[in-house]
Amino acid sequence: MKDTFKHQGMRQKLVDTLVKKGIKDKKVLAAIGKIPRHLFMDSGFIDHAYQDKAFPIAADQTISQPYTVAFQSELMEVNLGDKVLEIGTGSGYQTAVLLELGAKVFSVERQKELFKKTSKFLPKLGYRAKKLIFGDGYKGLLEEAPFKSIIVTAGAPFVPKPLLAQLDIGGRLIIPVGDATQIMTLFIRKGPKEFEKHELGEFRFVPLLEDKN
Ligand code: SAH
C-alpha cells in the first residue's frame, strides 16, 4: 500500500481536470487531492486510477468516476460533524471523501464480498466510518435517522420513500434516478411533507438492486 510522489502528481492533475469540468467546492477538491484512489482499485487498473473514469471493482460493481463523486459530494454541502448516509459503499472511495469532509458516515452495502473487503480496508487507511452496514439501501437506516444528507451511489429505478423520510428538515438527498441512464436528482426537505426537487443532468451508474437479502 504505497502512495508515491508520482501518485500525488497524477492526483493533482485529476483535481485540475475536475476544476475545468466545473467542480468548485474547495474541500471536495482537497479531499480528492488527498485520497489515494489507486489503493481502492484492483491491481489491474491501478495505472488508470487518476483518469476521470469509473472502473470495475469486485462483484461486478464499479468505483464511481471522480467527477461524479465530486459532483454528488458538492451537492451534499457537508459541514463538520454532519450525520450522513451513503447507499452503496462499494470500494469505500466515496465514503473516504465524506470522512475527509468531516462527516459522521453511515454506509450501506448489499454485496457481502464488497462489504467485507471494504470494512477491512478503510480502517487500514485510517478512514473510520461510524458504521458500515451489510444490508438493503432501499430501506435507508431507520435506527440512525434523521440524516443531514443521504447519497445514493447506484442508479435507482425510483426514489425509495424511506430515504426521503429519513432526512432532517433542511436535509438533502442526492440520488441518480432512472434505468439505463439516470438523472441526478436533489431533494431538499423543506418541511415534514414538503420537498423541493432539482434535476441536475444525466449520469450512468450500476443499478441499485432489490431483494438481495
Ligand atoms: N460509492 C461506491 C460506488 C460503488 S457502485 C464507490 O465509490 O466505490 C454502487 C454500489 O451500490 C455497489 O457496490 C453495489 O453493490 C451497491 N448497491 C446496489 N444496490 C444496493 C442496495 N439495494 N443497497 C445497498 N447497496 C447497493
Side-chain angles (χ1 to χ4, degrees), residues 57 61-64 86-94 108-111 114 135-138 153-154 206-209:
I57 50 174
Q61 302 305 318
T62 55
I63 179 169
S64 300
E86 176 188 24
I87 306 300
T89 316
S91 69
Y93 181 74
Q94 172 74 65
V108 183
E109 172 57 53
R110 72 181 269 290
Q111 293 279 2
L114 274 173
D136 178 12
Y138 275 93
T153 70
V206 293
L208 188 67
L209 296 173

Side-chain angles (χ1 to χ4, degrees), residues 67-68 71-72 75 175-178 181-186 198-205:
Y67 175 73
T68 305
F71 189 85
Q72 288 192 283
L75 285 172
I175 179 167
V177 186
T181 62
Q182 296 85 30
I183 304 294
M184 190 65 76
T185 312
L186 163 67
H198 303 261
E199 293 188 335
L200 302 160
E202 202 169 285
F203 288 78
R204 195 180 284 261
F205 286 79

Side-chain angles (χ1 to χ4, degrees), residues 42-59:
D42 291 343
S43 49
F45 296 99
I46 283 185
D47 289 345
H48 308 290
Y50 296 104
Q51 293 177 18
D52 188 23
K53 285 186 184 162
F55 286 101
I57 50 174

Side-chain angles (χ1 to χ4, degrees), residues 12-200:
Q12 194 46 53
K13 281 201 183 128
L14 171 62
V15 169
D16 295 344
T17 304
L18 298 179
V19 170
K20 279 194 199 112
K21 290 186 175 178
I23 302 299
K24 291 195 176 67
D25 188 320
K26 293 251 163 26
K27 288 184 195 155
V28 169
L29 292 167
I32 289 174
K34 188 168 167 196
I35 300 169
R37 186 175 190 249
H38 61 285
L39 301 180
F40 290 73
M41 300 180 39
D42 291 343
S43 49
F45 296 99
I46 283 185
D47 289 345
H48 308 290
Y50 296 104
Q51 293 177 18
D52 188 23
K53 285 186 184 162
F55 286 101
I57 50 174
D60 287 334
Q61 302 305 318
T62 55
I63 179 169
S64 300
Q65 181 181 345
Y67 175 73
T68 305
V69 172
F71 189 85
Q72 288 192 283
S73 302
E74 194 167 65
L75 285 172
M76 289 173 81
E77 298 189 349
V78 174
N79 288 307
L80 204 65
D82 280 0
K83 199 171 178 183
V84 309
L85 176 64
E86 176 188 24
I87 306 300
T89 316
S91 69
Y93 181 74
Q94 172 74 65
T95 317
V97 170
L98 296 173
L99 289 168
E100 285 288 351
L101 295 175
K104 292 185 184 134
V105 185
F106 295 80
S107 185
V108 183
E109 172 57 53
R110 72 181 269 290
Q111 293 279 2
K112 191 127 211 190
E113 182 189 352
L114 274 173
F115 165 75
K116 281 191 182 159
K117 191 173 169 195
T118 301
S119 300
K120 270 199 201 138
F121 169 71
L122 278 177
K124 280 192 197 152
L125 284 191
Y127 288 117
R128 293 181 200 286
K130 280 281 162 202
K131 215 175 190 183
L132 299 176
I133 299 106
F134 172 58
D136 178 12
Y138 275 93
K139 298 182 183 133
L141 192 64
L142 189 57
E143 62 269 33
E144 296 292 345
F147 297 95
K148 282 271 179 212
S149 59
I150 301 177
I151 176 176
V152 179
T153 70
F158 59 88
V159 181
K161 290 233 166 65
L163 300 185
L164 290 169
Q166 291 173 25
L167 285 177
D168 267 323
I169 304 296
R172 303 160 77 83
L173 168 64
I174 293 94
I175 179 167
V177 186
D179 294 315
T181 62
Q182 296 85 30
I183 304 294
M184 190 65 76
T185 312
L186 163 67
F187 291 91
I188 305 173
R189 188 172 200 173
K190 293 291 185 183
K193 290 191 174 160
E194 216 184 313
F195 295 87
E196 198 177 276
K197 181 178 170 186
H198 303 261
E199 293 188 335
L200 302 160

